[in-house]
Structure formats: structure tokens, C-alpha cells
Amino acid sequence: MLNIVLVEPEIPNNTGNIGRLCVGTGNRLHLIHPFGFQITDKNLKRSGLDYWVHLDWKEYQNTEDWIAQITDKSRVFLFSSHAKKSYLKESYQDGDWLVFGKESVGLSDTILCQFTNHLTIPISPLVRSYNLANSVAFAIGEAKRQIEF
């Protein structure tokens, strides 16, 4: 099982889609406040469909609460468009933490400076960024491929 972390997610449809992805791939979702929506938001439930009741998820009031319960910081991977190392060059293990920032600005420098594993998803210079749900899907797909095969 992977730990998928969304720091201050803003768009309910993305979080709903990522929740559904976590149910389908057997991963745990961690959500860090503040959110740009309510967990009861109809858009979240629409994109998560009826899978949300099956989702293994936890929520935290802030990043400090989340960081306090991590036992091995070397297995925390922060995804950032500013990172130099491709996520395809990493070796993943069961229990790893894959961390994604909010849609509008990504991860803050405060969070980035607390961990050393910064990864990027290669992208054409014609495109500014990937959708958050797509980025999480890329990362889960590669990590699961390595862990299961």
C-alpha cells in the first residue's frame, strides 16, 4: 500500500477522482487542511462516485500533524514541477509516501525544505502542468508497477 498525500487540495473533482483511484489501487489517501471545498461537496462525491465509503483515508488539520506521524522521512517523495529528478528514476517500496501540492501553486517551500526526495513528472515545454489527478495516476502507476512486478 502507498500513502498518497494531498496538501491543501482545492478542487473537489480532483480529490474525488484521486479517492476513487486509491480505492481501485488499494492505497491510503491523506488529506491536509485547509481544503478548497467541504468533504460533503457534491462535486467530490460525484467524481468519487459511491466509492468514497470504501476509501481508506485520513485527514490532518495541518502539515505539522501529518509530518509528526511519519517514521521514515527517507520514504517521503514530494512531487514538484521545480524538481530535477524524474519520478521514473526512483525506486519505490510498499508504504512510501507520495506527496502532491495544491492545484494552484504546488507544494510550499516550507514543506519542500523538510524532505530531500523531490521528484518531477517529465512534461513537454508546450504544457505548463498536468492536472493533479493525472499526476497522482502517473505516480501510482509507476510505483505499483515496481512494487508488484
Side-chain angles (χ1 to χ4, degrees):
M1 176 194 66
L2 297 165
N3 292 288
I4 307 304
V5 182
L6 303 183
V7 179
E8 302 177 8
E10 299 169 314
I11 301 173
N13 297 34
N14 283 335
T15 302
N17 282 322
I18 293 164
R20 183 183 351 181
L21 179 62
C22 286
V23 170
T25 56
N27 297 307
R28 180 176 291 138
L29 181 61
H30 301 262
L31 301 173
I32 300 174
H33 285 271
F35 307 152
F37 53 88
Q38 299 293 319
I39 289 295
T40 57
D41 191 296
K42 67 180 182 178
N43 291 321
L44 173 74
K45 294 200 175 206
R46 182 181 304 127
S47 56
L49 298 174
D50 54 352
Y51 304 111
W52 198 260
V53 297
H54 304 291
L55 179 62
D56 179 2
W57 70 288
K58 296 178 89 172
E59 65 183 303
Y60 306 87
Q61 290 308 307
N62 53 55
T63 54
E64 292 80 16
D65 289 348
W66 166 67
I67 291 171
Q69 53 88 52
I70 295 171
T71 57
D72 184 358
K73 285 189 170 185
S74 73
R75 300 311 309 168
V76 177
F77 300 95
L78 305 180
F79 285 76
S80 170
S81 61
H82 304 291
K84 302 292 183 231
K85 184 178 180 183
S86 170
Y87 81 110
L88 298 168
K89 303 284 186 194
E90 189 55 63
S91 295
Y92 301 98
Q93 299 174 12
D94 194 41
D96 281 351
W97 298 84
L98 309 181
V99 183
F100 301 84
K102 59 178 149 184
E103 291 89 340
S104 62
V105 296
L107 293 167
S108 71
D109 289 339
T110 304
I111 295 171
L112 289 167
C113 74
Q114 295 188 54
F115 300 93
T116 58
N117 295 321
H118 299 183
L119 303 174
T120 191
I121 299 170
I123 192 168
S124 163
L126 299 174
V127 177
R128 184 174 51 256
S129 64
Y130 289 116
N131 170 279
L132 179 61
N134 292 339
S135 296
V136 173
F138 279 129
I140 288 175
E142 176 60 18
K144 291 299 254 187
R145 182 192 68 79
Q146 289 183 23
I147 292 167
E148 294 180 7
F149 301 106

